[in-house]
Amino acid sequence: MARIVNPPYATGPVNEGEARVINFLKDKLGDDYCLIPNMEFADTVQRRFLEVDLILIAPHCVYIIEIKDW
């Protein structure tokens, strides 16, 4: 089971679609995977924050995942 690491300021998944994807990946991936939901990065040029739905850290690479609940 993958490990979920919540950033200290995060309030959890924004919607049910994100929650479903995060729970699915957590249950299906191995112990060597890490999920970081709703990470924000500062854009110091335009003075705003950019939100990433999910960062998946795998043994061989890092995935940035945008989740749509259509």
Side-chain angles (χ1 to χ4, degrees), residues 2-3 14 19 23 27-28 32 35 43 46 48 51 59 70:
R3 182 170 46 118
V14 175
N23 287 327
D27 293 340
K28 298 295 181 184
D32 50 351
L35 304 168
D43 178 353
Q46 296 185 7
R48 61 183 177 165
E51 188 254 343
W70 294 342

Side-chain angles (χ1 to χ4, degrees), residues 51-69:
E51 188 254 343
V52 173
D53 290 339
L54 182 63
I55 299 172
L56 169 58
I57 301 174
H60 60 286
C61 65
V62 175
Y63 296 95
I64 305 297
I65 301 172
E66 177 68 23
I67 301 169
K68 300 297 180 196
D69 186 22

Side-chain angles (χ1 to χ4, degrees), residues 4-57:
I4 295 178
V5 177
N6 289 306
Y9 52 81
T11 58
V14 175
N15 57 49
E16 280 298 313
E18 288 185 12
R20 280 193 309 271
V21 170
I22 291 167
N23 287 327
F24 176 82
L25 291 173
K26 178 187 72 151
D27 293 340
K28 298 295 181 184
L29 296 174
D31 293 340
D32 50 351
Y33 288 79
C34 180
L35 304 168
I36 306 172
N38 297 320
M39 187 74 177
E40 290 186 355
F41 296 93
D43 178 353
T44 57
V45 175
Q46 296 185 7
R47 298 181 183 189
R48 61 183 177 165
F49 284 94
L50 304 171
E51 188 254 343
V52 173
D53 290 339
L54 182 63
I55 299 172
L56 169 58
I57 301 174

